[in-house]
Amino acid sequence: MNGTAYVILGFLAAAPRSGYEIKSLVDVSTRFFWAASYGQIYPELKRLEDEGLVRGRDDDAGARRRRRHEITPAGRESLHAWLTAGGPLHFELRHEGFLRFFFCDELGGEDRRELLRTIRASHEGAREQLEAIRPHAQEQGDEGRSFPLHTLEFGIAYQEFIIDWAERMERRLAGGGH
Amino acid sequence: MNGTAYVILGFLAAAPRSGYEIKSLVDVSTRFFWAASYGQIYPELKRLEDEGLVRGRDDDAGARRRRRHEITPAGRESLHAWLTAGGPLHFELRHEGFLRFFFCDELGGEDRRELLRTIRASHEGAREQLEAIRPHAQEQGDEGRSFPLHTLEFGIAYQEFIIDWAERMERRLAGGGH
DNA sequence: GCTCACATGTAATCCGTTACATGATTCT
DNA sequence: AGAATCATGTAACGGATTACATGTGAGC
């Protein structure tokens, strides 16, 4: 079972959802530290159904064709087991900006500062996207789920940490000359 | 061309290397924000050779069978073009700890604090690994390449930022109750 | 003599994205 | 009428890891 399976179970634990809804929720919440695409979600929903962790039923209530997925008791158990499991946590970062920065000795001073501006700009963009999501997290908070908002606030602080670092480094390289 | 190709070009820009050496260098430097395995490096070296960005020769100097790879002028150009390219930077984070934290409303107070301790412990581990690498980065600094050390120091600060957040959140959840 | 580090590669597999194909409904 | 959104899926592809296969040389 991979992380994406638990994203699905996690959202289904709060309410039954369609695959489309799960994807939309991911896009306004977990995507900055755990993204997921349709190409994963639909096959994974089927797999979870086969394993008995999710039950899917064609939904005739609305006008539109739609498949409603519910978490099963076994699914809840599996989710809880994952949430409380010991052992190492999967952690993976791929950051092209830092990779370039690492090789910055190959560059001149102006190119270096330009790179830092690019890094800063991209994290400022990410911060804005997170800020745009805040209303959704706040709604979750109003409904008694406070951790989506905690997570979002961490995410914003995380972006700001990198932005501040880039700023400091820009100034340092500007001062030191080259 | 993917990021891993540029890791290779970046290291070859400083000195000719074998595939094995490149992998070893990655493991003591870029792996925390850009990892690479043999399964990527060897085929990628071949591909870069086919494209004329790298020249590989069987090395008879040492006793051991070994293939020595040099960057070509075209390779240097390609590296420089990548280092100074505009446009968005690839950035990807997958963090199982935050994913769990996001779904923490499903848990009780003690389980939440335990999760935060697990998150903190894993980043403390990462920080130690980075500290262990410091001598290598310092050597690079002594040889005139200062950005590996800058990058490492950022990496350590990054780990500490997350550790501090986890600590604060632990205290907050301990105080406020569940 | 044994083990560790050096050294090169490939194959299977996994995980994930992108693009495609299809179609209904709602909003303007 | 047309565009956007809701909705479900698959196929092709790419990127990366893991495990495997093989062998040499250096130091204990």
Side-chain angles (χ1 to χ4, degrees), chain A residues 102-103 105, chain B residues 10-11 14-15 17 25 28-29 133-150:
Chain A
F102 180 87
F103 292 116
D105 288 296
Chain B
F11 283 117
R17 300 286 184 190
L25 288 169
V28 294
S29 56
I133 277 168
R134 195 191 276 275
H136 177 264
Q138 235 134 22
E139 265 175 56
Q140 292 294 306
D142 297 341
E143 290 167 27
R145 277 180 292 277
S146 52
F147 287 88
L149 188 54
H150 287 321

Side-chain angles (χ1 to χ4, degrees), chain A residues 60-133:
Chain A
D60 299 325
R64 234 177 221 134
R65 173 198 171 205
R66 191 186 121 98
R67 200 166 163 85
R68 174 196 159 90
H69 302 269
E70 266 180 82
I71 193 168
T72 64
R76 265 179 215 283
E77 263 176 62
S78 171
L79 176 64
H80 190 269
W82 169 70
L83 284 170
T84 57
L89 296 163
H90 178 95
F91 168 71
E92 204 188 314
L93 176 65
R94 262 171 200 267
H95 197 297
E96 193 185 349
F98 297 147
L99 186 58
R100 290 197 199 176
F101 183 73
F102 180 87
F103 292 116
C104 249
D105 288 296
E106 305 292 323
L107 290 179
E110 184 45 47
D111 284 337
R112 286 174 190 163
R113 290 191 294 275
E114 179 59 27
L115 172 58
L116 284 165
R117 281 190 288 270
T118 308
I119 292 174
R120 181 160 55 82
S122 73
H123 287 282
E124 282 166 350
R127 179 183 54 186
E128 278 165 46
Q129 286 178 58
L130 287 169
E131 288 289 2
I133 277 168

Side-chain angles (χ1 to χ4, degrees), chain B residues 9-119:
Chain B
L9 290 178
F11 283 117
L12 295 187
R17 300 286 184 190
S18 68
Y20 184 87
E21 281 178 309
I22 292 170
K23 163 69 168 146
S24 308
L25 288 169
V26 165
D27 284 345
V28 294
S29 56
T30 69
R31 95 168 135 118
F32 288 92
F33 51 91
W34 206 286
S37 63
Y38 291 125
Q40 279 176 278
I41 289 170
Y42 284 113
E44 194 60 36
L45 274 168
K46 199 175 276 178
R47 234 211 58 219
L48 290 170
E49 219 182 315
D50 292 343
E51 284 192 34
L53 307 180
V54 157
R55 185 175 23 195
R57 273 183 290 191
D58 290 320
D59 188 356
D60 298 324
R64 230 176 225 135
R65 172 196 173 206
R66 195 185 116 100
R67 201 167 163 82
R68 176 195 158 91
H69 302 270
E70 268 181 80
I71 194 167
T72 65
R76 266 179 213 283
E77 263 176 61
S78 172
L79 176 64
H80 190 268
W82 170 70
L83 283 170
T84 57
L89 296 163
H90 178 95
F91 168 72
E92 204 188 315
L93 176 65
R94 262 173 201 264
H95 196 298
E96 194 186 346
F98 297 148
L99 186 58
R100 289 196 200 178
F101 184 74
F102 180 85
F103 291 118
C104 250
D105 288 296
E106 305 292 323
L107 289 179
E110 185 43 48
D111 285 337
R112 284 174 192 161
R113 289 191 295 275
E114 180 57 29
L115 172 60
L116 285 166
R117 280 190 289 269
T118 307
I119 292 174

Side-chain angles (χ1 to χ4, degrees), chain A residues 2-4 34-40 63-65:
Chain A
N2 55 38
T4 304
W34 206 286
S37 64
Y38 290 126
Q40 279 177 279
R64 234 177 221 134
R65 173 198 171 205

